[in-house]
Amino acid sequence: MEMGKRVTLELRNRKPAEVKELVLDNCRSDDGKISGLSSDFENLEYLSMINTGLVSISNLPKLNKLQKLELSDNRISGGLEVLAEKTPNLTQLNLGGNKIKDISMLKPLKKLPHLQNLDLFNCEVSTLMNYRDSIFSLLPQLIYLDGFDASHIQAPDWDLEAHWMDEDEEDEELDDEDDLDGEDEANGGDDESQALCMT
């Protein structure tokens, strides 16, 4: 499914400003760019675009309230400076499985003062000598890199995931809609017919 159509489907007759979470995993981007999103999604807190063929995030709209951005398994190789301008309150960023090859590509993330959790798993940069020390030095605001802090203590990911799942489950009960449960979301929404976004 094309990304723009997927966004329309996820809205389910709601206004963009009413959406807090949006999952667009496994749909097709428009020539490697984001499509269907606008700054009208002003209350969006969670955005997932896993495995959508993204090459660039240059046209990411202004999303002041966005806290968690999932961009894993795409083909992004740079252009991260747009994040500081468009998502100033971002706390978690997943770039795993992208074409991030060296530390310098990550310098724009210094301008994200609230960024605490960064995932670069399966990126070429993660194979470099002194990779972890270099990233923590570059991004002093960071607490967790690839799920572990600077002292190699694992991040409490289960707390975080439970938070998002609990919200989903509460909404399902209120709306009496069970198109998706937390487990489906955790599995990455492989089945497009079940990959509707929870709010």
Side-chain angles (χ1 to χ4, degrees):
M1 182 180 293
E2 191 268 334
M3 186 179 287
K5 292 181 180 178
R6 179 70 171 274
V7 171
T8 301
L9 178 65
E10 299 286 353
L11 281 172
R12 296 183 298 179
N13 298 317
R14 295 171 299 172
K15 295 179 180 179
E18 297 174 330
V19 179
K20 290 187 178 181
E21 299 184 24
L22 192 57
V23 177
L24 305 174
D25 300 348
N26 304 310
C27 62
R28 294 190 305 275
S29 57
D30 185 7
D31 292 326
K33 294 185 177 181
I34 298 167
S35 60
L37 283 180
S38 72
S39 57
D40 291 337
F41 287 85
E42 58 189 35
N43 292 308
L44 200 62
E45 298 176 1
Y46 172 84
L47 175 61
S48 184
M49 296 184 287
I50 298 171
N51 187 34
T52 60
L54 282 177
V55 175
S56 169
I57 55 172
S58 61
N59 59 338
L60 182 72
K62 182 83 168 178
L63 300 170
N64 281 324
K65 293 188 178 181
L66 195 69
Q67 297 176 24
K68 185 176 181 180
L69 180 59
E70 295 277 354
L71 294 170
S72 60
D73 299 326
N74 285 293
R75 295 176 289 161
I76 299 165
S77 60
L80 301 180
E81 58 275 357
V82 70
L83 294 175
E85 177 188 350
K86 302 296 181 65
T87 61
N89 291 300
L90 202 64
T91 61
Q92 300 173 69
L93 176 62
N94 188 342
L95 289 168
N98 279 280
K99 298 182 180 297
I100 308 296
K101 296 182 178 181
D102 58 67
I103 304 293
S104 64
M105 293 179 175
L106 301 168
K107 285 184 178 179
L109 301 184
K110 294 173 68 173
K111 295 182 179 181
L112 288 169
H114 306 290
L115 186 65
Q116 298 180 357
N117 198 323
L118 176 64
D119 191 339
L120 297 168
F121 188 68
N122 280 340
C123 289
E124 191 173 331
V125 67
S126 67
T127 66
L128 298 178
M129 187 76 72
N130 298 320
Y131 154 70
R132 291 183 58 80
D133 290 342
S134 298
I135 297 294
F136 278 116
S137 178
L138 176 69
L139 306 172
Q141 78 274 37
L142 205 63
I143 298 176
Y144 297 109
L145 174 62
D146 300 334
F148 292 86
D149 68 11
S151 301
H152 299 283
I153 296 175
Q154 188 170 3
D157 283 340
W158 61 272
D159 279 340
L160 181 64
E161 295 303 323
H163 167 71
W164 293 109
M165 289 180 191
D166 286 346
E167 286 188 355
D168 289 349
E169 289 163 3
E170 288 171 9
D171 284 343
E172 283 177 353
E173 291 175 8
L174 290 173
D175 298 337
D176 195 28
E177 295 177 353
D178 55 1
D179 296 324
L180 243 194
D181 58 25
E183 182 178 349
D184 289 328
E185 182 178 350
N187 289 336
D190 291 331
D191 185 346
E192 280 191 2
S193 67
Q194 293 183 338
L196 293 179
C197 168
M198 296 294 101
T199 55

